[in-house]
Amino acid sequence: MSEEKNSIVDKVLSLYESFLRILPIKNTIVFESNPEFSCNTYPVYRYLIDKKHIDDKYKIVWLVADPEKYKNSNLKNTEFLKYWDCTDSVKQKLKYHYILTTSKALIYCNRLLGKNRKDQFSFCLQHGMPLKRSNGSYCIKDDCDYCLCVSHFFADIFSEDFKISKDKMVFMGFPRTDYLYTDRDVRAEMGISGYDKVIVWLPTYRQHTAASSRGFNIETTNTGIPTINTEEEIKKVDSYLRDNNILLILKPHPVQKIDKKIQAGLTNFRILTNDDLAENNIQLYELLAKTDALVTDYSSVYYDYLLTDKPIGLTVDDLEQYIKARGFVYENPQDILKGEYINDTDELIKFFEDVKNGVDSHLDERTAVKNKLHEIHDGSSAEKIGEFIISHI
């Protein structure tokens, strides 16, 4: 589509939105998360459906990548709408704007849906507290009624990094962490109950799929996996895991490209994707609840996993590169990042050995940080937020 034609379409959509704002608001609630049916939105949605039965009164709209995927869904009073895409047809764009402008409430955690009219309720549930700097790539800019913040500790950082006023914040913890208290036997359901230890590795991204537009792309290893530089090192790690009956599950960041073929020939080093979780109807944090330790780096999952009081290994071999390329919201991130620092494959294996032997020399440090960062430790966030939403709509 030419630049001139794009400009005309934008003007038409702007006029169309102005018209939509004078139409009556509809009893429709839009939900969004990325991945779909996950993160902070999903547990709140489940509470509102299971405990408050909002689908009796409201039409539910879930934003998804492919509505056809859900054509056989038996969810009551629910429609699936394709995410906004600049390549969509004009008809699809008109439908998208119609629903997002006439709906009574927008509940979202990843894509910023904003607030489209005064009588609409807009609640941004967020997908992670700041640790890395957003550098302007993710700004809420008060374009909502409320925004979820884990605790008062983060208020100043949150306001500065995401450009949102403190009076918009509500402090109720992250609903996804409710799953850290689950009784569900996820290991048995995933067929991984036979291991002495299960460790999950959740690295943040080094090369964003949209890196060219975000100005962030650091290449640190030949494998796409932090700290492990070669396939030989992967095999060395896998050999240790096999000899000690430990399973390591690597779940790459959704925007970090890692070829699953890299696990060919490995036995105890597995790569897990969002699709794998969805196919088994398992939430990521249900899996985290049943792991024995976490390996991460500068991902906000670090904050959440602190609630488990289980060991955390931190791959920090590219810390200085990360500081130069993107930066942190803390002058010294090591004041907050407490755990076993890992700089190479040998130190990674040493961390696994400590987990196997029940050695956790950083528990007291992590507990101190946990108590500073978290105000809710009992898995009640979804209920608190669900009741808050009901009180406003």
Side-chain angles (χ1 to χ4, degrees):
M1 188 180 288
S2 68
E3 187 174 327
E4 181 180 357
K5 192 170 183 180
N6 272 326
S7 177
I8 293 172
V9 171
D10 289 342
K11 289 178 181 178
V12 170
L13 288 175
S14 179
L15 290 171
Y16 179 60
E17 284 182 351
S18 298
F19 165 72
L20 292 177
R21 291 189 186 99
I22 66 175
L23 295 180
I25 203 84
K26 293 184 175 295
N27 272 2
T28 300
I29 300 178
V30 176
F31 291 92
E32 179 274 347
S33 68
N34 186 23
E36 297 154 14
F37 290 89
S38 68
C39 200
N40 284 319
T41 302
Y42 183 71
V44 172
Y45 161 79
R46 284 261 51 105
Y47 179 83
L48 292 172
I49 295 293
D50 297 339
K51 302 298 184 181
K52 295 301 177 178
H53 309 291
I54 60 167
D55 48 349
D56 289 338
K57 179 180 179 182
Y58 294 94
K59 177 181 177 180
I60 307 300
V61 174
W62 265 98
L63 298 183
V64 297
D66 180 13
E68 279 294 304
K69 177 181 173 182
Y70 300 95
K71 65 181 180 181
N72 296 320
S73 167
N74 59 0
L75 294 177
K76 183 173 67 176
N77 202 19
T78 299
E79 177 182 337
F80 301 94
L81 177 68
K82 186 179 181 296
Y83 289 127
W84 168 266
D85 188 325
C86 62
T87 64
D88 287 339
S89 67
V90 173
K91 180 181 178 181
Q92 177 63 29
K93 290 177 180 177
L94 293 176
K95 181 179 180 181
Y96 183 90
H97 281 275
Y98 174 79
I99 290 179
L100 264 72
T101 305
T102 60
S103 294
K104 187 166 189 176
L106 308 176
I107 313 297
Y108 52 99
C109 69
N110 192 279
R111 295 168 176 85
L112 298 176
L113 303 185
K115 181 177 172 70
N116 301 306
R117 54 194 292 170
K118 291 181 179 179
D119 52 350
Q120 183 178 68
F121 179 72
S122 173
F123 196 175
C124 177
L125 298 179
Q126 259 302 323
H127 61 279
M129 285 292 96
L131 179 53
K132 311 174 289 285
R133 287 197 178 278
S134 67
N135 295 320
S137 66
Y138 192 87
C139 290
I140 302 167
K141 297 180 179 177
D142 285 356
D143 195 15
C144 59
D145 290 301
Y146 296 100
C147 188
L148 182 60
C149 187
V150 163
S151 69
H152 290 82
F153 169 86
F154 289 103
D156 288 339
I157 297 169
F158 194 44
S159 178
E160 178 182 354
D161 199 53
F162 292 156
K163 311 304 178 190
I164 184 167
S165 302
K166 293 181 184 178
D167 60 6
K168 297 274 187 179
M169 299 178 194
V170 291
F171 305 95
M172 298 182 185
F174 270 176
R176 68 189 182 199
T177 63
D178 290 3
Y179 287 120
L180 295 176
Y181 305 90
T182 184
D183 292 326
R184 185 177 178 185
D185 191 354
V186 172
R187 284 201 195 188
E189 293 182 40
M190 295 182 66
I192 57 173
S193 55
Y195 296 93
D196 292 338
K197 300 291 181 181
V198 175
I199 300 172
V200 66
W201 189 349
L202 296 175
T204 193
Y205 61 88
R206 267 70 180 174
Q207 302 91 26
H208 196 291
T209 51
S212 59
S213 64
R214 294 169 184 257
F216 179 75
N217 188 346
I218 60 175
E219 190 78 44
T220 57
T221 69
N222 296 320
T223 62
I225 303 172
T227 306
I228 299 180
N229 290 289
T230 65
E231 290 190 28
E232 287 72 24
E233 289 183 1
I234 294 178
K235 292 176 182 177
K236 177 181 177 181
V237 170
D238 184 58
S239 177
Y240 170 84
L241 296 168
R242 182 170 56 254
D243 291 345
N244 291 275
N245 198 33
I246 298 171
L247 176 65
L248 176 63
I249 300 173
L250 173 71
K251 185 187 176 300
H253 192 284
V255 302
Q256 175 78 47
K257 296 286 188 182
I258 291 183
D259 190 347
K260 288 188 73 173
K261 293 177 183 176
I262 204 168
Q263 68 183 342
L266 305 180
T267 60
N268 290 53
F269 189 135
R270 299 187 190 174
I271 296 177
L272 182 75
T273 66
N274 289 321
D275 287 342
D276 295 328
L277 289 169
E279 287 171 8
N280 289 281
N281 194 29
I282 293 171
Q283 293 291 309
L284 172 61
Y285 280 61
E286 291 179 303
L287 172 60
L288 293 184
K290 302 305 178 183
T291 56
D292 297 289
L294 169 73
V295 178
T296 188
D297 39 46
Y298 326 122
S299 169
S300 65
V301 72
Y302 162 77
Y303 292 140
D304 299 342
Y305 201 80
L306 287 170
L307 290 166
T308 70
D309 293 323
K310 296 175 182 177
I312 299 176
L314 298 162
T315 61
V316 294
D317 51 299
D318 61 355
L319 178 61
E320 291 304 317
Q321 288 175 272
Y322 219 95
I323 290 173
K324 292 176 182 177
R326 181 165 181 177
F328 292 84
V329 296
Y330 306 103
E331 184 174 347
N332 183 5
Q334 293 167 308
D335 290 341
I336 290 294
L337 291 170
K338 300 298 182 182
E340 188 69 27
Y341 286 179
I342 297 168
N343 291 283
D344 55 38
T345 302
D346 289 337
E347 290 182 358
L348 181 66
I349 291 175
K350 171 61 167 58
F351 174 70
F352 297 155
E353 183 77 4
D354 285 345
V355 172
K356 182 190 77 169
N357 294 326
V359 176
D360 185 1
S361 57
H362 301 280
L363 176 60
D364 291 343
E365 289 180 314
R366 293 198 318 273
T367 300
V369 174
K370 177 190 73 174
N371 292 333
K372 182 190 300 185
L373 271 54
H374 291 278
E375 296 169 4
I376 296 175
H377 300 205
D378 60 1
S380 64
S381 292
E383 177 181 357
K384 293 178 188 298
I385 294 162
E387 293 296 335
F388 182 82
I389 291 170
I390 289 295
S391 71
H392 283 79
I393 64 172

